[in-house]
Each structure stands twice: as C-alpha cells, then as structure tokens.
C-alpha cells in the first residue's frame, strides 16, 4: 500500500513537473514571432527586446556556430572617435563581471578551452562576434554573447594597453602599399560620407580616444534591437528559445533611438587624384569609380562588369596589361557595402614605367568597354561561375555565418539567398549601361603609389639583450592568423573560411560508414593511391592530391624551377590555350590549385559532383601536356621577379630569411635563399630547365589523391584511370642532406628604413621530426607558450603590456627533416627592445619552470576540440587525410591523433622543453627600421 502510494505520488510529481516545463516552454516560445523563411533560413523576432534571430538547423553533426551581428560599423564614427567600433571589438574580449581573467574564466580561455574557432571582425556597416563549437556548449556561447552585449567592463587600464595593440595593427597595415593606397582613395573619393574613414581609424584617434568616448559609443549601439543573433548547425529550436530567453530576456531595448549617419556625399565635380610616395619595389595605380550600395538594382550588373574587367586569365585587364607585359598583375572589384561604394580597378607594374602612360592605357581600356560593351556569352560564363561558387561555398556552419554577416550588414539577409537570381537576370545591355553610367572620369578617384628608394638592407652582429623582471600576465584575442599556429600541420588547411552558406553538415562528423564498417575507402587506381570519404555534403566534393619531387633537392638545379613549372601549367596546354582552359574552368566555378612545395607538388580543387570527370580531365591536361610557351615564360619571369623584389622592403620576409640562414646550411630544405640570390637564379633560369624538370619528376610515382564529400567512387576511379592512363612514373627519390647541429647564439639586425612596424624572430634548431616521440610533448609545450589566443605570450606581451598586435610560438620544418622552434612578433621600432625583453622574460620562465598541470589539461582540451571543429569542412578533412598518408600513415590515424595528444604527460612536456631549448644559444633577428645596434632609426 505504501509502495503504491509512493508510485502515485511520484507519477503526480512527474506530471506536475512536465506540465510546468510545458507551460514554461510555451511561455518562452510565445515571445518569438516567426517573421519569414527562405532557403532553409528561418527569421524570428524576440518580442521582449526586438532582437532578430536567424536559424539554420542541421542536426546531422554535433557542431554549431553562434554569431551575433551588431549593425554598427566605422560609418557610425566621426572625427575624434574613428576606430572606436574596432577598438570596442577588442575590448569586448577583455571581459565582464562574470567572465574575466581575475575569475580564471576569461572569454578567450573559456572558448578556446572547448576547442572553439572564434573571432570578431569590424567593417564599415557592422561588427560581428562568432564561435564555432561543439553543440553541447551552445548555452555557454549564448551566455557569453548576452553578457558582453551589455556588461563589458571597458576599463581604462584595458583600453590603455589595447591602444598600443591596435596601433601596432595600424602600423602593420602601413607596411603594405596596397592597403595604404586603398585607404587614401576611399578617403578622397568619399569626403563627406563616413565611408571616408578607414575602419581601423586614424592614428591620432587610436592614440588619444578617451575611455568615456568608447563607453558612450558602446552604450549607444550595443543593444538587442540593433543585433541579429545567428545560430547555424546542431540545435533543438524549443531548447534554443528557452536559452535565448534565459540569457537575453534580461536585456531591454535601447532606451534611446540609435543615431544613424545622414550625411549624403555631395556631387563630385571632377576627377580626383592622390599620390603616395613610400619605400617599395613596385608601382601601382588604383582607380575607384563611385557606385551604389548592395541592394541597388544595378549592383549585380556592376559585379559582373568587375569580373569581366579583372578576374581570371580571360579578363580584359589580363589581355590588355598582363599578357602584354605592361603590368605584373591587375584586378577589379565592386564593393558590396550598404550605402555607397567603389568599383575599383588596380594595376601593379615595374617602377621604370610611367604612371601617366599606364593611366592613359587604363582609361582607354575603360572607354573601350563603355563603347563596345561585352558579350552575352561572357556574362553567361561569369554568372555560371558565381552561381557554382555559391554552391561550392556551402561547406561548414562557420562559413555560412560569415556570408550572412555581410548580407545582414548590407540591409537584407535574404540577399544571400536571392543574390544568384539577381545575377542571372543581368544582360549584356545591362552591363554596358552600368559601365556608361558609373565608369565616369568626373566621378573617379585615381591613386598612384610611387615607390621610393628604400635604402639598403644591412646586417650586424651584437650580443643578446639582458632580461628584465617578470610582469603580471594578461591577455587579449583577435588575430585569426593565430589559429594557424594553434593547430598542427595536419589541421592548418582545416581553418574555416568565411565564404559559405547552408551546407552546415560537418564533414568529419557525417562520414558515412561502409558496409564493412569503414570510414574511409583506400584503393589503388592504376598507379594512384586513392582515399575517399563520403560525407553529408550534398552535390559537391573537395579533392586534394600530391606527388613527390623531393629528389630534385639532391641535384644542383636552379631551386626556382619547381615553382616556375607549377605556375606555367595554367598558361596553356598543347590542347587548349590559357584563355580556353581558364574559361572552361570558370564556367564550372572551379579553381585548380597546383603549387610546388619543397618536397612535392600539391594539388587541390572543389567542384560540383556532376562536373568531377570534366575537372579531372582538365587537371590531367594541365599536368601532362603543358605548352611551355616562350612568351608566357618571359612574362612569368617578370612577374616572379616583381614578387621576389617585394620582399626587399618586407621586415617579416627579410627577418624570416635571416633566421633560416642562421639555423640551416645552404642546400638544406629549410634554408631560405636571400632575395638577391633568388633574383640571380631567376635571371639565369631557362625554359629548357622547366621542360626537363617536368619530364623527370611529373608522374604517378608516389601520387596520392583524397576525395571528400558527395563522392561517387565508381565515377572518380573511372575518371582518374582514363585521364592519367599511360602517364610517366616520375621519381620517388627522397631528399638527402645533413641536418645542422645547434649553433651558437647570435643577434642579427636587418635594416629596412621607413617601416612603422618591425619584426622580431627568436629561434633555435631542435632537430625534432614529426614522427619522433618528442614531437607531441614539445608541440604541446610550444602551444602553451604561444600557440594561440590563450598562449602565455599573447596573455603577457600583448594583453598585459600592450606591445604588439601579434606574437606567437611555433615549431616548423619537421615533416621531412629536423625542425626548428621560433617566436615571432611585430613591434613599433620605438618599442622593439621593450617587446624583446618582455618576450625573453616569458621564454626564460617557460624553459626554467616548465608548464603547469592546469595548462596542460587546458591545452589538450583546446587541441582536441579545435582539431575536430577544424575537420568540419570537406577541405579541412581532405587536407588532414592527405597529410597523414603522405607520411606513410593510414587514414584511420585521423582518429588516433587526439589519443596521442591525451597520452602526453606533464613530465614529458617539461623534459622536452629543457632538452631542446638552450637559453644561451638563442638566435635573435631584428628586422625593420632599426640601426645596426637595434635602435629605432631617426
């Protein structure tokens, strides 16, 4: 009787609980009003505070991207607070009362601790924050985003430290001639409209902006009714609504109307011109023509016009300037901002040529397009290309979020879905009309970049600097490039790009298991080693491949030959001219990448499933039957020379060369030839050397092909067998060279005048190879020092000291030989010594004291989580699989990798650091506007 009563009571209580939960869910859901649905995207309005939600649900894999887009960008700024949107973006990672460093749960460390791919970006019309995470952590992401919406600390001490970080980011941009010229053109073209201001802001505003100004800006625009919350991937809508209500329901609408820019650009009454004179090796001309914003009816035609002018081998720019040797490169681009924009045409050419002469020729080209118009077949090809690329870009939730961001910023998220239809309606008459409407001289702004003599690069020796006392640790997060250092070589290709939508299925998590219980099928097709993985991707796949050319390192041949051969492959075949070849690929929306690396030729492409056979045939044609045209070779050598010369005034490139030469002997695969030696080698190389290399090393020997996505194995095998039947064997010889011993410590200065940002390299030879037992412990230890946003170097030198925008530690060159360890950072020349000293403090602590148990646990979680998230795209998964089989591993190693990470002990990590890093033998490179003593140039 008692038992029955207990059962009845339990049932009653469960019934009450379920009823309460149901009522609660109904109350929560009633706050969300469905606005519309299009192309698999659902839009909701959260009634309590006016926040928009965009939902793309796909429960096939446990990965989700959480993103919030604020409709505030640099266009909302005025003189005095330019750069405030961007600086706020930085400060919004400093923490809230709930998530902060003092509590031990800073935003960056919490997210990176679960393996998140995360960042934030600022642009003209918007700011976005996002994280791609395991879906069981979605509540954490929502908690963080809701908290920093209204509760960011915005402390003066954080702003003061971060100011110098952002200023260094500004200075790094000033090292780039193209960036400098673009900024000047926008500032001149739009004199009244706030697109006049560069997103990063003007230097004096960055340096002097009061924290009160930032707080006011934050309190004006960071509200839910100015935001769109985007959730893409694995979630349950009912549970999601409850979480959104839980975390965002406490936030009200903005108490006041949010001021919007109302300035209209006055009529431009004639052409404008700017001239920039800075150190450099290449002249540039950029012309910008005023065009309307993203949703204007003419923008699709303007987009196609820009593609016809400046995209691909068959572009008008290529035919007019590049193929004739007048320019090294050229491009055209139509901006996609909400209000107004520029259609930009740019050329890079030899300084010996006259800017005025090139400009006249460019104007003649534009007038010719306006007069003659374009062919409908060219428009059809471009539309087919862009539409195919839209489908091919649907590869991962993080990528979907990125393109939705720009559509939201442009005024209507539905343009992401409708954009292809808008393009398909464009006619030749439309393109000619917009050319004559907008490509007007009186509405143009022309910019000249005139390279000045940069002076000479010199090197001097000096003793290493003394160490300074330790400082308190803090940190900040932003630069997406740090992600590359945080992952192993296998996963670098898996970084999620921001260019895709709607195909949110994770490649790794959705691999289909065969009837034999296998994830991967490996088969010898002819003489090709083929690995396939069929995933949840629909109608497209990624193919990555490689074959061995390492034997060339054992010869005395010109080291530029492999790269020149790879670049000549797209310049025409014995069956198709380069324009015919380019147009065939363009129509499919496919870009075949063929690159020469030190030990191999690497190949990659993504295509629609239906086009696979066609693309493989075109790839085989490029690889097997290159034309090796003499004229094209001459033009390539000119462009190659220009590319090499660019490094003469690049502190990063020159510093990296100096470090490699200090560690490795000439002839080693990790040794970098000096810029002048490379130019000399280029001058000497003959076309016959390319033909000989191609005949000797191109073939099926040691060729691996990996296909991931919607793979039809039968079709793939048939295509490969037919396309490559009878191809030569190539050579499987491995490279032979002697590894160096650890050299004595030294400090070297590379002087490059008039560069506002200098580069620091600290390095040492380790001799560790990828398959060595010490690799993983040392790799993990290096990651803790500086392998990502939560590395010690970022926490201290960047966040606490505010000395740099970017600092990282990594281990490289270990796949085929003994590798080396390095630390790299950029500093303002006046802060260089302080930055070096602060870096050495952390290196010394790392070597002498090792890492902690807590750091090891956190790094393991970060590496395993980011590894799986990084494999969520077909490209990431294919790249990882290829790297494994190139090293002689089975594809199943993809599941073993995380186990290797977990097996590493604290003792192994600390022992490996002490074993391989000798503080008395560090090599220090200082590259930039520094004199022979490492002091800033006057």
């Amino acid at each position: 009787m008692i038992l029955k009563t207990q059962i009845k009571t339990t049932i009653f209580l469960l019934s009450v609980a379920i009823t309460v939960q149901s009522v609660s869910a109904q109350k929560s859901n009633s706050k969300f009003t469905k606005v519309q649905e299009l192309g698999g995207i659902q839009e909701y309005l959260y009634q309590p505070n006016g926040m928009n939600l965009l939902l793309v649900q796909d429960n096939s894999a446990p990965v989700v991207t959480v993103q919030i887009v604020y409709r505030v960008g640099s266009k909302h700024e005025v003189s005095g607070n330019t750069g405030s949107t961007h600086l706020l973006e930085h400060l919004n990672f400093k923490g809230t009362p709930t998530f902060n460093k003092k509590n031990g749960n800073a935003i960056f460390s919490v997210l990176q601790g679960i393996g998140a791919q995360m960042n934030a970006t600022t642009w003209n019309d918007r700011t976005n924050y996002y994280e791609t995470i395991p879906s069981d952590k979605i509540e954490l992401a929502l908690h963080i985003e809701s908290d920093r919406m209204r509760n960011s600390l915005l402390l003066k001490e954080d702003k003061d430290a971060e100011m110098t970080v952002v200023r260094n980011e500004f200075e790094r941009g000033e090292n780039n001639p193209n960036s400098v010229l673009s900024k000047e053109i926008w500032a001149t073209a739009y004199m009244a409209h706030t697109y006049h201001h560069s997103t990063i802001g003007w230097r004096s505003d960055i340096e002097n902006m009061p924290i009160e100004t930032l707080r006011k800006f934050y309190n004006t625009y960071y509200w839910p009714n100015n935001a769109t919350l985007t959730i893409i991937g694995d979630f349950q809508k009912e549970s999601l609504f409850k979480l959104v209500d839980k975390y965002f329901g406490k936030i009200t609408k903005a108490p006041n109307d949010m001021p919007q820019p109302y300035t209209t650009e006055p009529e431009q009454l004639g052409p404008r011109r700017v001239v920039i004179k800075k150190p450099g090796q290449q002249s540039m001309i950029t012309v910008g023509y005023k065009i309307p914003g993203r949703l204007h009816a003419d923008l699709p035609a303007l987009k196609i016009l820009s593609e016809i002018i400046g995209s691909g081998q068959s572009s008008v720019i290529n035919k007019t300037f590049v193929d004739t040797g007048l320019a090294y490169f050229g491009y055209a681009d139509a901006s996609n901002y909400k209000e107004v924009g520029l259609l930009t045409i740019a050329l890079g050419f030899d300084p010996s040529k006259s800017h005025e002469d090139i400009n006249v020729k460019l104007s003649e080209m534009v007038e010719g397009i306006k007069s003659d118009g374009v062919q409908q077949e060219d428009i059809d090809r471009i539309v087919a290309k862009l539409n195919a690329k839209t489908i091919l870009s649907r590869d991962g939730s993080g990528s979907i979020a990125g393109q939705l961001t720009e559509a939201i910023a442009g005024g209507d998220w539905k343009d992401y879905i409708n954009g292809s239809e808008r393009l398909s309606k464009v006619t030749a008459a439309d393109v000619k009309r917009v050319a004559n409407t907008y490509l007007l001289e009186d509405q143009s702004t022309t910019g000249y970049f005139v390279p000045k003599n940069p002076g000479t690069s010199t090197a001097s020796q000096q003793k290493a600097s003394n160490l300074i006392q330790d400082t308190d640790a803090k940190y900040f997060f932003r630069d997406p490039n740090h992600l590359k250092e945080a992952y192993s070589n296998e996963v670098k290709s898996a970084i999620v790009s921001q260019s895709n939508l709607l195909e949110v299925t994770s490649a790794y998590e959705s691999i289909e298991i065969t009837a034999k219980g296998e994830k991967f099928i490996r088969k010898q097709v002819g003489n090709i080693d083929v690995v396939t993985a069929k995933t949840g991707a629909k109608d497209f796949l990624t193919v990555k491949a490689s074959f061995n050319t390492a034997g060339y390192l054992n010869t005395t041949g010109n080291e530029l030959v492999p790269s020149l051969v790879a670049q000549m492959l797209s310049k025409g075949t014995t069956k198709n001219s380069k324009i015919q070849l380019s147009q065939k690929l363009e129509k499919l929306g496919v870009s075949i990448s063929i690159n020469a690396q030190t030990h191999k030729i690497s190949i990659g492409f993504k295509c629609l499933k239906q086009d696979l056979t066609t693309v493989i045939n075109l790839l085989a044609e490029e690889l097997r039957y290159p034309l090796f045209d003499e004229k094209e070779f001459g033009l390539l050598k000119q462009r190659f020379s220009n590319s090499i010369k660019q490094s003469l005034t690049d502190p990063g490139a020159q510093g990296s060369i100096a470090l490699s030469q200090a560690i490795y002997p000439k002839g080693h695969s990790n040794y970098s030839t000096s810029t002048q030696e490379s130019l000399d080698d280029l001058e000497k190389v003959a076309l016959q050397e390319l033909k000989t290399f191609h005949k000797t090393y191109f073939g099926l020997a040691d060729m691996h092909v990996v296909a991931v996505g919607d793979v039809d194995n039968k079709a793939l095998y048939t295509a490969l067998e037919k396309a490559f039947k009878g191809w030569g064997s190539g050579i499987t010889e491995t490279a032979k060279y002697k590894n160096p011993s650890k050299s004595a410590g030294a400090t070297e200065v590379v002087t490059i005048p008039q560069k506002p940002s200098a580069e620091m390299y600290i390095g040492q030879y380790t001799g560790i190879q990828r398959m060595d037992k010490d690799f993983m412990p040392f790799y993990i230890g290096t990651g803790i020092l500086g392998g990502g946003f939560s590395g010690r170097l970022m926490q201290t030198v960047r966040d606490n000291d505010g000395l740099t925008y970017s600092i990282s530690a990594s281990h490289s060159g270990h796949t085929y030989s003994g590798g080396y360890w390095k630390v790299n950072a950029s500093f303002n020349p006046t802060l260089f010594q302080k930055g070096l000293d602060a870096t050495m403090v952390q290196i010394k602590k790392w070597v002498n004291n090792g890492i902690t148990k807590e750091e090891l646990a956190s790094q393991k979680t970060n590496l395993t989580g980011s590894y799986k998230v990084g494999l969520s795209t077909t490209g990431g998964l294919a790249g990882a699989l290829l790297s494994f089989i190139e090293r002689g591993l089975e594809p199943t190693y993809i599941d073993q990798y995380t186990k290797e990470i977990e097996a590493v002990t604290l003792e192994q990590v600390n022992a490996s650091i002490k074993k391989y890093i000798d503080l008395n033998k560090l090599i220090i490179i200082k590259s930039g506007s520094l004199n022979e003593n490492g002091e800033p140039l006057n």
Side-chain angles (χ1 to χ4, degrees), residues 870-894:
L871 297 175
S872 62
T873 67
T874 59
L877 180 55
L881 287 170
L882 180 61
S883 72
F884 296 149
I885 62 176
E886 284 174 342
R887 299 207 312 267
L889 299 167
E890 289 296 321
T892 52
Y893 178 76
I894 204 161

Short mmCIF file of all heavy atoms in Angstrom, two decimals, residues 870-894:
data_model
loop_
_atom_site.label_atom_id
_atom_site.label_comp_id
_atom_site.label_asym_id
_atom_site.label_seq_id
_atom_site.Cartn_x
_atom_site.Cartn_y
_atom_site.Cartn_z
N GLY A 870 37.98 21.87 -36.76
CA GLY A 870 38.70 22.18 -37.97
C GLY A 870 38.45 21.19 -39.09
O GLY A 870 38.61 21.52 -40.26
N LEU A 871 38.04 19.98 -38.75
CA LEU A 871 37.75 18.97 -39.76
C LEU A 871 36.31 19.03 -40.24
O LEU A 871 35.85 18.13 -40.95
CB LEU A 871 38.02 17.57 -39.18
CG LEU A 871 39.47 17.27 -38.77
CD1 LEU A 871 39.54 15.90 -38.12
CD2 LEU A 871 40.40 17.35 -39.95
N SER A 872 35.59 20.07 -39.89
CA SER A 872 34.16 20.13 -40.22
C SER A 872 33.90 20.44 -41.68
O SER A 872 32.80 20.24 -42.17
CB SER A 872 33.45 21.16 -39.33
OG SER A 872 33.96 22.45 -39.56
N THR A 873 34.89 20.96 -42.42
CA THR A 873 34.71 21.22 -43.84
C THR A 873 35.32 20.10 -44.67
O THR A 873 36.23 19.39 -44.21
CB THR A 873 35.37 22.55 -44.25
OG1 THR A 873 36.79 22.42 -44.12
CG2 THR A 873 34.89 23.70 -43.38
N THR A 874 34.84 19.95 -45.89
CA THR A 874 35.41 18.91 -46.76
C THR A 874 36.87 19.21 -47.07
O THR A 874 37.69 18.30 -47.17
CB THR A 874 34.61 18.81 -48.07
OG1 THR A 874 34.62 20.07 -48.74
CG2 THR A 874 33.17 18.39 -47.81
N GLY A 875 37.20 20.49 -47.21
CA GLY A 875 38.59 20.86 -47.46
C GLY A 875 39.49 20.55 -46.29
O GLY A 875 40.62 20.06 -46.47
N GLY A 876 39.02 20.83 -45.09
CA GLY A 876 39.80 20.54 -43.91
C GLY A 876 40.04 19.06 -43.71
O GLY A 876 41.16 18.63 -43.41
N LEU A 877 39.00 18.27 -43.91
CA LEU A 877 39.12 16.82 -43.75
C LEU A 877 40.02 16.23 -44.83
O LEU A 877 40.89 15.39 -44.56
CB LEU A 877 37.73 16.18 -43.81
CG LEU A 877 37.65 14.66 -43.66
CD1 LEU A 877 38.33 14.19 -42.38
CD2 LEU A 877 36.19 14.20 -43.69
N ALA A 878 39.87 16.68 -46.07
CA ALA A 878 40.70 16.17 -47.16
C ALA A 878 42.17 16.51 -46.94
O ALA A 878 43.06 15.68 -47.16
CB ALA A 878 40.21 16.73 -48.50
N GLY A 879 42.43 17.75 -46.49
CA GLY A 879 43.82 18.16 -46.24
C GLY A 879 44.47 17.36 -45.14
O GLY A 879 45.64 16.98 -45.23
N ALA A 880 43.71 17.08 -44.09
CA ALA A 880 44.25 16.29 -42.98
C ALA A 880 44.57 14.87 -43.43
O ALA A 880 45.64 14.32 -43.15
CB ALA A 880 43.27 16.28 -41.82
N LEU A 881 43.64 14.25 -44.16
CA LEU A 881 43.86 12.88 -44.63
C LEU A 881 45.08 12.80 -45.54
O LEU A 881 45.89 11.88 -45.43
CB LEU A 881 42.61 12.39 -45.39
CG LEU A 881 41.38 12.07 -44.52
CD1 LEU A 881 40.16 11.85 -45.41
CD2 LEU A 881 41.63 10.84 -43.65
N LEU A 882 45.23 13.78 -46.43
CA LEU A 882 46.36 13.76 -47.34
C LEU A 882 47.68 13.87 -46.57
O LEU A 882 48.65 13.17 -46.87
CB LEU A 882 46.25 14.89 -48.36
CG LEU A 882 47.38 14.98 -49.39
CD1 LEU A 882 47.46 13.71 -50.22
CD2 LEU A 882 47.22 16.21 -50.27
N SER A 883 47.72 14.72 -45.58
CA SER A 883 48.96 14.88 -44.81
C SER A 883 49.34 13.60 -44.09
O SER A 883 50.53 13.28 -43.94
CB SER A 883 48.83 16.03 -43.81
OG SER A 883 47.98 15.70 -42.75
N PHE A 884 48.35 12.84 -43.66
CA PHE A 884 48.63 11.57 -42.97
C PHE A 884 49.23 10.55 -43.95
O PHE A 884 50.26 9.94 -43.66
CB PHE A 884 47.36 11.00 -42.36
CG PHE A 884 46.76 11.86 -41.28
CD1 PHE A 884 45.39 11.87 -41.06
CD2 PHE A 884 47.56 12.67 -40.48
CE1 PHE A 884 44.83 12.66 -40.08
CE2 PHE A 884 47.00 13.47 -39.49
CZ PHE A 884 45.64 13.46 -39.29
N ILE A 885 48.59 10.37 -45.09
CA ILE A 885 49.06 9.32 -45.99
C ILE A 885 50.38 9.72 -46.65
O ILE A 885 51.17 8.84 -47.02
CB ILE A 885 47.99 8.95 -47.05
CG1 ILE A 885 47.66 10.12 -47.95
CG2 ILE A 885 46.74 8.43 -46.37
CD1 ILE A 885 46.68 9.76 -49.06
N GLU A 886 50.66 11.01 -46.78
CA GLU A 886 51.97 11.43 -47.29
C GLU A 886 53.09 11.00 -46.35
O GLU A 886 54.22 10.75 -46.78
CB GLU A 886 52.01 12.96 -47.45
CG GLU A 886 51.26 13.48 -48.66
CD GLU A 886 51.19 14.99 -48.69
OE1 GLU A 886 51.43 15.62 -47.63
OE2 GLU A 886 50.90 15.56 -49.75
N ARG A 887 52.78 10.91 -45.06
CA ARG A 887 53.78 10.49 -44.07
C ARG A 887 53.80 8.98 -43.85
O ARG A 887 54.45 8.49 -42.95
CB ARG A 887 53.51 11.18 -42.73
CG ARG A 887 53.57 12.69 -42.78
CD ARG A 887 53.95 13.27 -41.43
NE ARG A 887 53.19 12.72 -40.33
CZ ARG A 887 52.07 13.25 -39.85
NH1 ARG A 887 51.56 14.33 -40.39
NH2 ARG A 887 51.46 12.69 -38.83
N GLY A 888 53.02 8.26 -44.67
CA GLY A 888 53.02 6.81 -44.57
C GLY A 888 52.03 6.26 -43.56
O GLY A 888 52.07 5.07 -43.23
N LEU A 889 51.15 7.10 -43.07
CA LEU A 889 50.15 6.66 -42.10
C LEU A 889 48.87 6.25 -42.81
O LEU A 889 48.61 6.64 -43.95
CB LEU A 889 49.84 7.80 -41.12
CG LEU A 889 51.01 8.30 -40.28
CD1 LEU A 889 50.65 9.61 -39.59
CD2 LEU A 889 51.41 7.24 -39.24
N GLU A 890 48.06 5.49 -42.11
CA GLU A 890 46.75 5.11 -42.65
C GLU A 890 45.74 6.22 -42.40
O GLU A 890 45.89 7.02 -41.46
CB GLU A 890 46.26 3.82 -41.99
CG GLU A 890 47.02 2.58 -42.40
CD GLU A 890 46.87 2.27 -43.89
OE1 GLU A 890 45.76 2.44 -44.43
OE2 GLU A 890 47.88 1.90 -44.51
N PRO A 891 44.69 6.32 -43.22
CA PRO A 891 43.66 7.34 -42.99
C PRO A 891 43.04 7.27 -41.60
O PRO A 891 42.61 8.28 -41.05
CB PRO A 891 42.63 7.04 -44.07
CG PRO A 891 43.37 6.33 -45.14
CD PRO A 891 44.43 5.54 -44.43
N THR A 892 43.00 6.07 -41.02
CA THR A 892 42.41 5.91 -39.70
C THR A 892 43.19 6.63 -38.60
O THR A 892 42.70 6.77 -37.49
CB THR A 892 42.32 4.41 -39.35
OG1 THR A 892 43.61 3.81 -39.54
CG2 THR A 892 41.30 3.71 -40.22
N TYR A 893 44.40 7.10 -38.95
CA TYR A 893 45.16 7.89 -37.97
C TYR A 893 44.39 9.14 -37.57
O TYR A 893 44.66 9.72 -36.51
CB TYR A 893 46.53 8.27 -38.55
CG TYR A 893 47.35 9.14 -37.61
CD1 TYR A 893 47.98 8.58 -36.50
CD2 TYR A 893 47.47 10.51 -37.82
CE1 TYR A 893 48.73 9.36 -35.64
CE2 TYR A 893 48.21 11.30 -36.95
CZ TYR A 893 48.84 10.74 -35.87
OH TYR A 893 49.57 11.52 -35.01
N ILE A 894 43.44 9.52 -38.37
CA ILE A 894 42.66 10.71 -38.05
C ILE A 894 41.96 10.58 -36.70
O ILE A 894 41.72 11.57 -36.01
CB ILE A 894 41.63 10.99 -39.18
CG1 ILE A 894 41.26 12.48 -39.19
CG2 ILE A 894 40.40 10.11 -39.08
CD1 ILE A 894 40.64 12.94 -40.48
#
